[in-house]
Amino acid sequence: MVTCILHLLSKYTVHQNSKHTLRYINKLVKCNRRYSSALLPSNGRSKEYFSFLTPYFDFDERLTDVEKLQKTLASRGLHWNVEDIKNIWQFYKTLHADKSKLKLKIEEISKELTPLYTKEDRTTDEELKCSKLKMQIRIVKQDLQSVNAVLSDLNESVVDKMLQLPNEIDGRTPLQTPVILKRVNSLDENSHSASRKNHIEIGKSLGLLEYKNPMQYYLCNDAALFELGVLSYAGKIFSEDNMIRVAGADFSRSLVVDGSGLNHEDPADAFIIDNHSEVDEGSPNHMHLVGGASLISLLAMHAKQMIEPNHFPVAYFSTGRQYTPFRPGTTPIGLFTVCQASAALAFILVKDSNSKEYHDQFEKLLNTVCKLYDNLCDHYQIVIRPATELRAWEAMRVSFELWSTFSKQYIEVGHISVCGEYFSKRLLIGYQSPKGRAFPSVISGTVLSVPRLLGCLLEQNSEKFIIPPKVMEHMPVNSPSR
């Protein structure tokens, strides 16, 4: 099938068969597009809208080792044919080369035509030559127009598809089964077996929680003070580790949402503000509610920025809100699946993902988060998630998990993700190296989700909410527990 299609493409005459060939191209890449990327103006909108940046395309690098990429996609559960993708990408590049040749040909003919066209008294031979040149330039312009039309459509079918390629898998990531990296103290299930209430029931009976649905819940009394205290304590831990506190914006544009690897057109990926006065109805770049302590918010701070090389590593943290839509079809599990969460986020930029510094920064952040959880709970475990559970931008994900007594399973209350150059290439976050522009690697994650942590702690004792002493020290002075 592929051989047959490529044979047709090799004989392809642009101005005659563009629609026919494009149908074959779409079939080749099986392109039922998941979305129209906000990183590139889509066909028909390029005159009305423009993209703030054009991502760095590393597709040639990614397609060098077809077997490796095929294994990466398979490990993530994506059944794409990399050979087909590579072939159509090569065709796309060939069209761009043809476009450049056609432009050059037009310039050459114009240079030859101009003296004849401006000459008043032309001989018969010159008139004939002028007519031939005019016909040549008209044909070449028609071909160029057809090539541009096909390339415009390919931006939506091929380039959008290429932008959906996920990050490479870190060598430490297991393929199918989670790996326990560390377990702090042992789990004593029998000590909690007498109280098998879920945290919603416990929170309501203790006057700590009013829960209606994932979009609407309220923390009351000591639970509300706990939220303030645990974020204050987390901020202290990160500040002691020389990380810089920043406050991100609660809102972001589709450009950054798309650049972060989410589908900016899917309301289940990020909240879309439909009636924002500054955005036209048909705009490919909406406003989204994301929260100031979200990854998207911190990425927006660095998009299309050049960072001084001597400033690396850059280590930030933010405490505040995160807003995540509740995905349809998902079963709500109380505080474990709420749409608004107070959280602590870590964000680190390192020059080279292959350097010792990159590894050291990951280990340093891991130890810092361990120090935080050592003083928040008696038992937790650290788990490396398998490739099948990773999001598109993650090369490796390390989860911090607490035991849920009611559901009898571990719940992720925080995580650290190794992301490599995925974000910096899509959002043009760069720095100057001796070889030219280079792209830093990102280590980031929501290291603490307050609702999830609170839910697990509530289930440990149905009679009383036991607040960790370190959190108690950082709660407001008017806390009734003090």
Side-chain angles (χ1 to χ4, degrees):
M1 179 65 176
V2 174
T3 304
C4 177
I5 294 172
L6 293 177
H7 179 69
L8 287 174
L9 296 181
S10 67
K11 296 183 177 181
Y12 169 61
T13 303
V14 174
H15 62 277
Q16 292 180 349
N17 301 318
S18 60
K19 291 184 179 179
H20 176 70
T21 303
L22 193 59
R23 284 197 297 270
Y24 273 107
I25 292 171
N26 287 331
K27 187 174 182 179
L28 180 62
V29 297
K30 299 177 181 178
C31 194
N32 296 320
R33 293 187 296 112
R34 182 173 68 95
Y35 65 94
S36 177
S37 176
L39 297 171
L40 297 170
S42 60
N43 186 30
R45 291 180 173 180
S46 56
K47 293 182 180 180
E48 299 176 40
Y49 306 104
F50 70 94
S51 181
F52 178 68
L53 57 83
T54 301
Y56 174 81
F57 296 142
D58 62 349
F59 304 145
D60 288 325
E61 303 168 31
R62 297 294 306 276
L63 293 169
T64 300
D65 191 337
V66 173
E67 185 178 350
K68 179 182 177 182
L69 181 56
Q70 191 71 67
K71 288 181 178 179
T72 295
L73 296 176
S75 67
R76 291 177 177 269
L78 298 174
H79 304 292
W80 298 353
N81 189 318
V82 178
E83 283 288 355
D84 287 352
I85 295 175
K86 182 177 181 178
N87 289 332
I88 201 60
W89 175 246
Q90 292 298 331
F91 175 71
Y92 178 79
K93 289 172 57 182
T94 301
L95 276 182
H96 266 288
D98 290 344
K99 176 181 176 179
S100 299
K101 291 178 182 178
L102 290 172
K103 283 185 174 181
L104 183 61
K105 186 65 176 177
I106 290 173
E107 291 178 5
E108 291 174 353
I109 297 174
S110 296
K111 287 181 180 179
E112 191 175 355
L113 178 62
T114 300
L116 293 173
Y117 192 75
T118 56
K119 188 176 180 181
E120 293 182 359
D121 298 323
R122 289 190 292 264
T123 63
T124 304
D125 290 341
E126 288 175 335
E127 286 285 357
L128 181 61
K129 184 177 181 181
C130 187
S131 298
K132 289 181 178 179
L133 290 174
K134 286 180 180 180
M135 182 177 295
Q136 286 180 29
I137 201 169
R138 185 167 57 251
I139 294 173
V140 175
K141 283 183 176 180
Q142 288 177 352
D143 282 349
L144 180 59
Q145 185 177 5
S146 298
V147 168
N148 283 331
V150 175
L151 282 174
S152 179
D153 288 329
L154 286 180
N155 280 336
E156 294 196 17
S157 57
V158 176
V159 179
D160 278 4
K161 186 75 172 180
M162 300 295 287
L163 284 171
Q164 294 176 45
L165 285 175
N167 205 348
E168 294 183 2
I169 299 294
D170 189 282
R172 293 166 289 182
T173 297
L175 294 181
Q176 295 181 337
T177 307
V179 173
I180 297 176
L181 191 63
K182 179 182 178 181
R183 180 169 283 173
V184 177
N185 299 324
S186 58
L187 173 65
D188 185 5
E189 295 185 55
N190 295 325
S191 63
H192 304 297
S193 59
S195 61
R196 283 298 309 282
K197 295 181 180 179
N198 66 44
H199 58 269
I200 300 300
E201 293 178 87
I202 297 171
K204 184 177 180 180
S205 65
L206 296 178
L208 301 173
L209 178 64
E210 292 182 19
Y211 177 89
K212 296 184 178 181
N213 55 59
M215 290 287 292
Q216 190 177 9
Y217 73 99
Y218 306 93
L219 301 184
C220 310
N221 301 318
D222 273 3
L225 297 173
F226 169 82
E227 178 183 55
L228 298 175
V230 73
L231 290 180
S232 177
Y233 178 58
K236 178 183 178 182
I237 292 293
F238 290 124
S239 296
E240 289 175 348
D241 205 32
N242 296 319
M243 296 181 72
I244 302 170
R245 182 191 290 271
V246 296
D250 282 327
F251 302 93
S252 187
R253 292 282 187 179
S254 296
L255 176 76
V256 186
V257 174
D258 191 1
S260 70
L262 293 173
N263 182 352
H264 69 97
E265 293 181 344
D266 187 352
D269 266 7
F271 285 112
I272 302 171
I273 304 176
D274 286 328
N275 60 347
H276 190 260
S277 59
E278 295 181 6
V279 180
D280 298 332
E281 183 178 350
S283 171
N285 201 12
H286 285 277
M287 286 289 285
H288 300 261
L289 177 65
V290 295
S294 67
L295 173 62
I296 295 172
S297 184
L298 266 66
L299 286 172
M301 295 170 57
H302 296 85
K304 205 176 180 181
Q305 298 292 323
M306 290 290 286
I307 302 172
E308 285 292 332
N310 58 355
H311 288 172
F312 289 101
V314 177
Y316 298 137
F317 77 93
S318 181
T319 57
R321 292 283 191 269
Q322 287 185 359
Y323 299 97
T324 308
F326 184 78
R327 189 165 289 277
T330 305
T331 303
I333 316 175
L335 295 179
F336 300 152
T337 54
V338 292
C339 297
Q340 174 183 292
S342 295
L345 179 94
F347 184 85
I348 300 174
L349 289 167
V350 181
K351 278 186 185 179
D352 185 0
S353 60
N354 297 316
S355 66
K356 181 177 182 298
E357 183 179 51
Y358 189 61
H359 175 78
D360 290 345
Q361 286 296 320
F362 171 76
E363 292 295 331
K364 183 180 178 181
L365 179 59
L366 184 65
N367 291 332
T368 301
V369 180
C370 285
K371 181 181 176 181
L372 173 65
Y373 281 102
D374 286 343
N375 292 304
L376 293 180
C377 48
D378 295 327
H379 168 71
Y380 68 93
Q381 68 178 20
I382 305 173
V383 177
I384 305 178
R385 310 312 308 177
T388 52
E389 297 180 17
L390 299 184
R391 302 299 297 267
W393 58 89
E394 294 176 314
M396 181 177 71
R397 181 187 183 103
V398 176
S399 297
F400 295 84
E401 299 180 340
L402 269 65
W403 181 255
S404 167
T405 305
F406 179 78
S407 59
K408 289 190 174 182
Q409 64 178 343
Y410 281 99
I411 300 296
E412 181 185 274
V413 294
H415 74 272
I416 301 173
S417 295
V418 174
C419 308
E421 300 170 350
Y422 181 89
F423 296 127
S424 57
K425 286 182 176 179
R426 290 170 73 93
L427 293 172
L428 291 187
I429 305 170
Y431 68 93
Q432 196 65 34
S433 73
K435 297 181 179 180
R437 186 182 189 126
F439 300 93
S441 295
V442 174
I443 303 168
S444 185
T446 300
V447 295
L448 172 67
S449 172
V450 175
R452 287 170 169 258
L453 173 64
L454 178 60
C456 291
L457 293 180
L458 285 174
E459 291 183 6
Q460 293 180 5
N461 191 324
S462 61
E463 304 298 325
K464 182 181 179 181
F465 178 34
I466 300 176
I467 301 174
K470 286 291 185 181
V471 176
M472 185 82 74
E473 293 174 9
H474 292 79
M475 286 168 57
V477 293
N478 62 340
S479 168
S481 299
R482 300 186 68 181

